[in-house]
Amino acid sequence: MAERSTAAVDVADNSGDEPLAAKADEATTDGTAEAQDTTGTKPQNTDGERIGSEATLPIPDLHSGHKLARRYRLEECVTRLDGFSSWRAVDEKLRRAVGVHLLPADHPRARSVLAAARSSALLGDPRFVQVLDAVEEDDLVYVVHEWLPDATELTSLLASGPMDAHDAYQLVSQVSQAMAAAHREGLAHLRLTPGAVLRSSTGQYRIRGLAVNAALRGITAEGPQRADTEAIGALLYAALTQRWPYESDAYGLTGLPKGVGLIAPDQVRAGVHRGLAELAMRALANDGATASRQEQPCTTPDELAKAVAAMPRIRPPEPVFTAPPEYQRTTYQQGSYGRPSARPGVSVTTPMMAAPPAPLQSRTGKALKWAVSALLIAALGLGSWQLAETLLNNESSDPGSTQTDPKSGDDGKKKPTGQLLTVKDAVEYFPDGKAQHPNDVHLTYDGDSSTYWRSKSFIGGPKLAPFKQGVGIVYELDSAQSISSASVSLQFGGDHTTASLYAADSLNSSTPLTSMKRIATTETTGTEAKLQTKNPVKTRFVLVWLTDMPKSPADRYSGAGYKQSITEVKFMG
């Protein structure tokens, strides 16, 4: 067993006090879901020292429907605590959900919250939930951040049981690498709890509240790297054992027995991966107070990330296939259907009644069959002759009559008119929540080929997946129209650009790509992508979706990499 401090783990919010009426939604808040009612008290750090003002600060009196900067509409309050509140909101300009922290401009921590939010926004690491805006306006300070409705909190994952070795390995590997990158830029989290770690549907872990959560609560630490490393160790310990590595219960997890100190994970639960158990102890134990089998403690996220990388890689478990059920032979015997059940003294094989004679076996019956057959043959010949005569008459009819051209391929459907369709509006489509340059989409249909919308520069390519499934723009026509073709003018040529057209039902980025109907796809190495469909599709909303981009040189906006720009888009009816 080992002695360790609790400098990195905030357990004051789980003291058993009555929760607020507006307690946070666990699946989509920014890590404040553990906050409890602190009326008459101040926030605490884990060493028991009071922080902040002497009394609970007044919280701005806002309500659902209130709009910030004529753009962010507040929808639901998820946290009210110590003078600040957290909301789920809607960015009406980009038509997406966001999260918002609000506090008065004269709040004693308002300056530090603004500074922390702006520093976090400059990091730009996709492993962290991104800060989108940090503003002081109308006596309010508000911080806008990403909202990930499809991600799941680590708190919810642990509620169903401990993780297997592969999932726990991925957790500690990704979180330690992300925090190492943040500390290299001088940023610390200081409140890295299970509510601050999210797992996306693709298995990637993302961390929310970097620097901001601690600033909102006034939490500081003399050794921020040590504090965050111990917090990662606590997350790994909880993932392996479904127990919180401290005496207090926290985040829906049961704490360790009182008075026994820190117990190794493989002593708490059988079957724990020994290498991960030792790694958790190295991150949790301070000042070299480790068990005899442990190596020296990890005191920084970078040391912990290197220790994880030095471990043998843990492979995912093999999929379990369920064997099909064995063939069950039926008890029915061939030819027994409809037979009466056996009675005492009566054999089953004994016929119960005489079989009826075969029909039409007499001389009269045979003659009748031949007569009917002759009539059918005559009727068939007469019908064929009349059909042939009708077809010949149609072919020799007036040449000016309307006929379907067999070479047109439209099977009588309405032919494309070739008319240029009018674009009414457009927005950028980014279902993963990571926009490119949404304010420039109008430049793709302004009639000026010198202006353009551009993507960011990516390291891998030409195919952006799996890092990013694609980038694109949804266009709204003036009414529902039949789309037969499209022309997409591009800025960069090379190997290669893949573009697709989809029929969408709205301008909303939350609509999944799988629910849209694909109209056409093309691949080009030039600066123009022409998309043509045999069967025009009627729709009002059209998505232009790029999944492959050529490797292009650096320009005044971005460095060399796989990127593309759209200068003009035209749709034909």
Side-chain angles (χ1 to χ4, degrees), residues 4-36:
R4 75 278 182 274
S5 74
T6 58
V9 185
D10 185 357
V11 297
D13 288 340
N14 295 271
S15 57
D17 296 336
E18 290 296 321
L20 289 172
K23 187 173 179 181
D25 184 320
E26 294 182 357
T28 55
T29 62
D30 62 339
T32 60
E34 305 85 22
Q36 304 288 331

Short mmCIF file of all heavy atoms in Angstrom, two decimals, residues 4-36:
data_model
loop_
_atom_site.label_atom_id
_atom_site.label_comp_id
_atom_site.label_asym_id
_atom_site.label_seq_id
_atom_site.Cartn_x
_atom_site.Cartn_y
_atom_site.Cartn_z
N ARG A 4 -0.63 8.71 -0.56
CA ARG A 4 -0.72 9.66 -1.64
C ARG A 4 -1.66 10.78 -1.25
O ARG A 4 -2.55 10.61 -0.44
CB ARG A 4 -1.19 9.01 -2.95
CG ARG A 4 -2.67 8.67 -2.99
CD ARG A 4 -2.94 7.35 -2.30
NE ARG A 4 -4.35 6.99 -2.38
CZ ARG A 4 -5.27 7.41 -1.52
NH1 ARG A 4 -4.95 8.24 -0.55
NH2 ARG A 4 -6.52 7.00 -1.65
N SER A 5 -1.46 11.93 -1.87
CA SER A 5 -2.32 13.07 -1.61
C SER A 5 -3.53 13.01 -2.51
O SER A 5 -3.63 12.17 -3.39
CB SER A 5 -1.56 14.37 -1.87
OG SER A 5 -1.41 14.57 -3.25
N THR A 6 -4.47 13.93 -2.34
CA THR A 6 -5.65 14.01 -3.20
C THR A 6 -5.70 15.35 -3.89
O THR A 6 -6.75 15.90 -4.14
CB THR A 6 -6.93 13.80 -2.36
OG1 THR A 6 -6.97 14.79 -1.34
CG2 THR A 6 -6.97 12.41 -1.75
N ALA A 7 -4.55 15.89 -4.22
CA ALA A 7 -4.50 17.24 -4.78
C ALA A 7 -5.17 17.34 -6.14
O ALA A 7 -5.61 18.39 -6.54
CB ALA A 7 -3.04 17.70 -4.91
N ALA A 8 -5.26 16.22 -6.87
CA ALA A 8 -5.79 16.30 -8.23
C ALA A 8 -7.25 15.95 -8.33
O ALA A 8 -7.85 16.08 -9.37
CB ALA A 8 -5.00 15.37 -9.14
N VAL A 9 -7.86 15.48 -7.25
CA VAL A 9 -9.21 14.93 -7.36
C VAL A 9 -10.16 15.74 -6.52
O VAL A 9 -9.98 15.87 -5.32
CB VAL A 9 -9.23 13.46 -6.93
CG1 VAL A 9 -10.60 12.87 -7.17
CG2 VAL A 9 -8.16 12.68 -7.65
N ASP A 10 -11.16 16.33 -7.16
CA ASP A 10 -12.14 17.16 -6.46
C ASP A 10 -13.25 16.27 -5.94
O ASP A 10 -14.09 15.80 -6.68
CB ASP A 10 -12.71 18.19 -7.45
CG ASP A 10 -13.63 19.16 -6.75
OD1 ASP A 10 -13.87 18.98 -5.54
OD2 ASP A 10 -14.10 20.08 -7.43
N VAL A 11 -13.26 15.98 -4.63
CA VAL A 11 -14.31 15.16 -4.03
C VAL A 11 -15.23 16.00 -3.18
O VAL A 11 -16.16 15.49 -2.59
CB VAL A 11 -13.70 14.02 -3.18
CG1 VAL A 11 -12.90 13.10 -4.03
CG2 VAL A 11 -12.85 14.58 -2.04
N ALA A 12 -15.00 17.30 -3.07
CA ALA A 12 -15.86 18.14 -2.25
C ALA A 12 -17.26 18.23 -2.80
O ALA A 12 -18.21 18.48 -2.07
CB ALA A 12 -15.26 19.55 -2.15
N ASP A 13 -17.42 18.00 -4.11
CA ASP A 13 -18.74 18.09 -4.72
C ASP A 13 -19.58 16.85 -4.50
O ASP A 13 -20.67 16.74 -5.00
CB ASP A 13 -18.61 18.32 -6.24
CG ASP A 13 -18.12 19.72 -6.52
OD1 ASP A 13 -18.27 20.56 -5.63
OD2 ASP A 13 -17.59 19.93 -7.61
N ASN A 14 -19.06 15.86 -3.82
CA ASN A 14 -19.79 14.63 -3.61
C ASN A 14 -19.94 14.34 -2.12
O ASN A 14 -19.81 13.22 -1.65
CB ASN A 14 -19.05 13.47 -4.29
CG ASN A 14 -19.04 13.63 -5.78
OD1 ASN A 14 -19.93 13.18 -6.47
ND2 ASN A 14 -18.01 14.30 -6.29
N SER A 15 -20.19 15.37 -1.34
CA SER A 15 -20.24 15.25 0.10
C SER A 15 -21.58 14.82 0.61
O SER A 15 -21.78 14.67 1.80
CB SER A 15 -19.87 16.60 0.73
OG SER A 15 -20.75 17.60 0.26
N GLY A 16 -22.57 14.61 -0.25
CA GLY A 16 -23.88 14.15 0.17
C GLY A 16 -24.87 15.26 0.39
O GLY A 16 -25.97 15.02 0.88
N ASP A 17 -24.51 16.53 0.08
CA ASP A 17 -25.47 17.62 0.22
C ASP A 17 -26.61 17.45 -0.77
O ASP A 17 -26.51 16.75 -1.76
CB ASP A 17 -24.78 18.97 -0.03
CG ASP A 17 -23.70 19.24 1.01
OD1 ASP A 17 -23.82 18.65 2.10
OD2 ASP A 17 -22.77 20.00 0.71
N GLU A 18 -27.71 18.14 -0.50
CA GLU A 18 -28.86 18.07 -1.40
C GLU A 18 -28.49 18.69 -2.75
O GLU A 18 -27.91 19.76 -2.80
CB GLU A 18 -30.03 18.84 -0.80
CG GLU A 18 -30.64 18.15 0.40
CD GLU A 18 -31.25 16.80 0.02
OE1 GLU A 18 -31.84 16.75 -1.07
OE2 GLU A 18 -31.10 15.84 0.79
N PRO A 19 -28.80 18.04 -3.87
CA PRO A 19 -28.44 18.61 -5.19
C PRO A 19 -29.33 19.77 -5.54
O PRO A 19 -30.44 19.92 -5.06
CB PRO A 19 -28.67 17.43 -6.15
CG PRO A 19 -29.70 16.60 -5.45
CD PRO A 19 -29.46 16.76 -3.97
N LEU A 20 -28.81 20.60 -6.46
CA LEU A 20 -29.61 21.71 -6.99
C LEU A 20 -30.73 21.18 -7.86
O LEU A 20 -30.66 20.10 -8.43
CB LEU A 20 -28.72 22.63 -7.85
CG LEU A 20 -27.70 23.46 -7.06
CD1 LEU A 20 -26.79 24.14 -8.05
CD2 LEU A 20 -28.39 24.49 -6.20
N ALA A 21 -31.77 22.02 -8.00
CA ALA A 21 -32.88 21.63 -8.89
C ALA A 21 -32.41 21.59 -10.33
O ALA A 21 -32.95 20.86 -11.14
CB ALA A 21 -34.03 22.61 -8.73
N ALA A 22 -31.43 22.41 -10.63
CA ALA A 22 -30.93 22.48 -12.02
C ALA A 22 -29.64 21.76 -12.16
O ALA A 22 -28.71 22.22 -12.78
CB ALA A 22 -30.79 23.94 -12.44
N LYS A 23 -29.52 20.56 -11.55
CA LYS A 23 -28.28 19.80 -11.66
C LYS A 23 -28.00 19.44 -13.11
O LYS A 23 -28.90 19.23 -13.90
CB LYS A 23 -28.39 18.52 -10.83
CG LYS A 23 -27.07 17.76 -10.74
CD LYS A 23 -27.19 16.60 -9.78
CE LYS A 23 -25.90 15.83 -9.72
NZ LYS A 23 -25.96 14.69 -8.83
N ALA A 24 -26.73 19.31 -13.46
CA ALA A 24 -26.34 19.19 -14.86
C ALA A 24 -26.78 17.87 -15.47
O ALA A 24 -26.88 16.87 -14.81
CB ALA A 24 -24.82 19.31 -14.97
N ASP A 25 -27.03 17.94 -16.76
CA ASP A 25 -27.28 16.76 -17.56
C ASP A 25 -25.96 16.02 -17.75
O ASP A 25 -25.01 16.56 -18.30
CB ASP A 25 -27.83 17.19 -18.92
CG ASP A 25 -28.20 16.02 -19.79
OD1 ASP A 25 -27.46 15.04 -19.78
OD2 ASP A 25 -29.22 16.11 -20.46
N GLU A 26 -25.87 14.74 -17.33
CA GLU A 26 -24.59 14.06 -17.29
C GLU A 26 -24.02 13.78 -18.65
O GLU A 26 -22.83 13.60 -18.81
CB GLU A 26 -24.73 12.74 -16.52
CG GLU A 26 -25.06 12.95 -15.05
CD GLU A 26 -25.15 11.63 -14.29
OE1 GLU A 26 -25.02 10.59 -14.95
OE2 GLU A 26 -25.35 11.67 -13.09
N ALA A 27 -24.83 13.70 -19.70
CA ALA A 27 -24.32 13.27 -21.00
C ALA A 27 -23.75 14.39 -21.82
O ALA A 27 -22.95 14.15 -22.70
CB ALA A 27 -25.44 12.59 -21.80
N THR A 28 -24.12 15.66 -21.53
CA THR A 28 -23.71 16.71 -22.47
C THR A 28 -23.18 17.96 -21.81
O THR A 28 -22.91 18.92 -22.51
CB THR A 28 -24.91 17.10 -23.35
OG1 THR A 28 -25.99 17.48 -22.51
CG2 THR A 28 -25.33 15.95 -24.23
N THR A 29 -23.02 18.01 -20.50
CA THR A 29 -22.50 19.22 -19.90
C THR A 29 -21.00 19.26 -20.01
O THR A 29 -20.38 18.39 -20.60
CB THR A 29 -22.91 19.32 -18.42
OG1 THR A 29 -22.34 18.21 -17.73
CG2 THR A 29 -24.41 19.30 -18.27
N ASP A 30 -20.38 20.27 -19.42
CA ASP A 30 -18.94 20.47 -19.60
C ASP A 30 -18.14 19.96 -18.42
O ASP A 30 -17.03 20.39 -18.19
CB ASP A 30 -18.66 21.96 -19.79
CG ASP A 30 -19.06 22.74 -18.56
OD1 ASP A 30 -19.89 22.20 -17.78
OD2 ASP A 30 -18.54 23.83 -18.36
N GLY A 31 -18.66 19.04 -17.66
CA GLY A 31 -17.92 18.53 -16.53
C GLY A 31 -18.38 19.11 -15.24
O GLY A 31 -17.75 18.91 -14.20
N THR A 32 -19.50 19.86 -15.21
CA THR A 32 -20.00 20.46 -13.98
C THR A 32 -21.14 19.66 -13.40
O THR A 32 -21.82 20.10 -12.49
CB THR A 32 -20.48 21.89 -14.25
OG1 THR A 32 -21.54 21.82 -15.21
CG2 THR A 32 -19.37 22.75 -14.78
N ALA A 33 -21.37 18.46 -13.90
CA ALA A 33 -22.53 17.69 -13.46
C ALA A 33 -22.41 17.24 -12.03
O ALA A 33 -23.38 16.87 -11.41
CB ALA A 33 -22.72 16.47 -14.34
N GLU A 34 -21.20 17.26 -11.43
CA GLU A 34 -21.06 16.78 -10.07
C GLU A 34 -21.31 17.87 -9.05
O GLU A 34 -21.24 17.64 -7.85
CB GLU A 34 -19.64 16.23 -9.84
CG GLU A 34 -19.22 15.16 -10.83
CD GLU A 34 -18.67 15.76 -12.08
OE1 GLU A 34 -18.23 16.91 -12.04
OE2 GLU A 34 -18.70 15.09 -13.12
N ALA A 35 -21.59 19.11 -9.50
CA ALA A 35 -21.70 20.22 -8.59
C ALA A 35 -22.93 20.08 -7.71
O ALA A 35 -23.98 19.68 -8.14
CB ALA A 35 -21.80 21.53 -9.37
N GLN A 36 -22.78 20.43 -6.40
CA GLN A 36 -23.86 20.34 -5.44
C GLN A 36 -24.14 21.73 -4.87
O GLN A 36 -23.41 22.70 -5.09
CB GLN A 36 -23.48 19.37 -4.31
CG GLN A 36 -23.09 17.97 -4.79
CD GLN A 36 -24.28 17.20 -5.28
OE1 GLN A 36 -25.38 17.43 -4.79
NE2 GLN A 36 -24.10 16.33 -6.23
#
